[in-house]
Amino acid sequence: MPRSIWSGAISFGLVNVPVKLYSAVSKKTVRFHQLHDKDGVRIQQKRVCPADDEEVPYEHIVKGYEVSPDQYVVVTPDELDALEPQKTRTIDIEDFVDLDEIDPLYYDHPYYLLPDKSAAKPYRLLHQAMVEANRVAVARVVIRSKEQLVAIRPVQGVLAMSTMNFADEIVPADAFDEPTADDAETTKREVDMARQLIESLATDWEPDKYHDTYRERVLELIEKKAQGEEIVLQPAEEPKEVPDLMAALEASVKAAKEGRGGEKPSSGGRKRGAQNGDGAKKKPARRSSKAKA
């Protein structure tokens, strides 16, 4: 049973909705420990000062910000505590914006906000109003002594909250030297063939069909080695060069159609009038990526 990691209230106008915060994801990362290859003993990490090659106790370690090579400004815990935001138990909604206006790049970690005891009616009221307005609430909240910018939206009968990246944390797309979509010319025939390939692969969003195949292979490898099986490494396949873009597009379209038995592609995200579980119109396929954010 998931445990709440924070409790407080959503505040908008003069209305407060008591809620509890739960993480919306449970990462399945395979974690390894560092071992000594000779005896298999787990390695211990120690903090050692390179000036005297002695281990430094934790109480003698301070925080330093590097302002120039090997030059640091030392900041004390008391100084940092004085700058911490005031601890509150409210999620203060500042704005309601259209879902289309938030780029998925801004989303960070997802959570669920569930109603506390006796808060079902105001919670339901806020949820239903946001569904009908098709709006996302942009708010601020202090979690673990850090102020977070968050987005709240209705999903699957509950309110989901995602922490957000600030604008100055987003790397602009024009900050790279690599070519962009504006640096090459395409023909109408190439674009039409590319669109045909997209349509041949179009389908409805089914999140359960996607698996972390790498994690599954790692766990399978671990199980085989634990049982004493010999592991034979397969050589990695080298990517093939594509000398003719048009030929590659045509072959891809043909392979996609054959892979689906020649059936016509599902309308999938192109069904604009379909209804989702919250009674709002089903979002275009582009928005489906935000559900993961």
Side-chain angles (χ1 to χ4, degrees):
M1 177 70 68
R3 291 186 177 183
S4 65
I5 58 178
W6 183 90
S7 62
I10 302 174
S11 174
F12 64 110
L14 300 178
V15 179
N16 283 344
V17 183
V19 292
K20 291 183 177 181
L21 184 70
Y22 295 84
S23 181
V25 296
S26 177
K27 293 294 185 180
K28 307 297 183 182
T29 305
V30 180
R31 300 185 181 277
F32 293 96
H33 295 293
Q34 293 182 332
L35 309 176
H36 190 188
D37 60 353
K38 292 183 178 180
D39 51 25
V41 176
R42 186 172 174 179
I43 298 298
Q44 293 183 348
Q45 293 185 345
K46 297 182 179 181
R47 300 174 178 89
V48 177
C49 177
D52 53 21
D53 201 30
E54 293 185 2
E55 185 177 356
V56 181
Y58 183 78
E59 59 269 19
H60 290 296
I61 294 178
V62 297
K63 294 180 181 292
Y65 183 87
E66 189 173 21
V67 294
S68 62
D70 296 327
Q71 296 294 322
Y72 301 91
V73 172
V74 175
V75 181
T76 67
D78 290 340
E79 291 171 333
L80 292 176
D81 290 342
L83 300 177
E84 286 186 355
Q86 182 180 1
K87 295 181 180 179
T88 66
R89 286 291 178 179
T90 58
I91 303 172
D92 296 311
I93 294 178
E94 297 184 358
D95 302 292
F96 286 94
V97 302
D98 193 286
L99 179 62
D100 285 336
E101 296 181 5
I102 303 179
D103 192 290
L105 286 171
Y106 284 91
Y107 291 115
D108 190 13
H109 189 87
Y111 298 89
Y112 287 128
L113 287 170
L114 302 182
D116 204 344
K117 296 178 180 179
S118 73
K121 184 173 182 178
Y123 181 93
R124 169 65 178 173
L125 175 64
L126 176 59
H127 180 280
Q128 186 172 350
M130 291 179 66
V131 168
E132 295 182 3
N134 192 33
R135 293 282 180 173
V136 176
V138 178
R140 292 179 186 268
V141 60
V142 177
I143 302 177
R144 298 189 180 98
S145 300
K146 182 181 178 182
E147 185 180 63
Q148 301 275 3
L149 184 69
V150 298
I152 303 172
R153 58 193 178 87
V155 294
Q156 302 177 18
V158 299
L159 292 175
M161 184 185 86
S162 293
T163 53
M164 303 181 70
N165 300 308
F166 288 99
D168 60 356
E169 295 177 319
I170 302 296
V171 178
D174 58 2
F176 307 97
D177 294 332
E178 282 73 9
T180 67
D182 296 329
D183 296 330
E185 294 184 359
T186 58
T187 66
K188 183 179 184 303
R189 183 163 175 259
E190 290 171 337
V191 174
D192 290 342
M193 185 60 66
R195 289 185 58 185
Q196 187 176 346
L197 175 57
I198 292 173
E199 293 300 318
S200 67
L201 296 173
T203 184
D204 292 317
W205 168 239
E206 299 177 15
D208 290 339
K209 69 182 285 188
Y210 305 100
H211 299 270
D212 187 345
T213 55
Y214 174 74
R215 177 170 60 89
E216 292 173 350
R217 292 197 299 270
V218 170
L219 292 175
E220 182 181 2
L221 169 68
I222 293 172
E223 183 177 357
K224 288 182 177 179
K225 296 198 72 172
Q227 295 175 355
E229 294 187 29
E230 182 179 355
I231 305 300
V232 179
L233 299 180
Q234 300 295 331
E237 294 184 3
E238 294 294 333
K240 298 179 180 179
E241 294 186 4
V242 182
D244 188 338
L245 177 60
M246 197 64 198
L249 288 170
E250 291 175 346
S252 299
V253 171
K254 181 180 178 181
K257 289 182 178 179
E258 291 176 351
R260 299 196 176 191
E263 296 181 359
K264 293 182 179 180
S266 168
S267 56
R270 298 186 300 281
K271 293 181 180 179
R272 303 296 177 90
Q275 301 289 314
N276 64 17
D278 291 322
K281 286 186 177 181
K282 197 170 186 178
K283 306 298 185 296
R286 185 178 67 82
R287 296 187 189 172
S288 65
S289 63
K290 300 178 184 176
K292 191 170 61 175

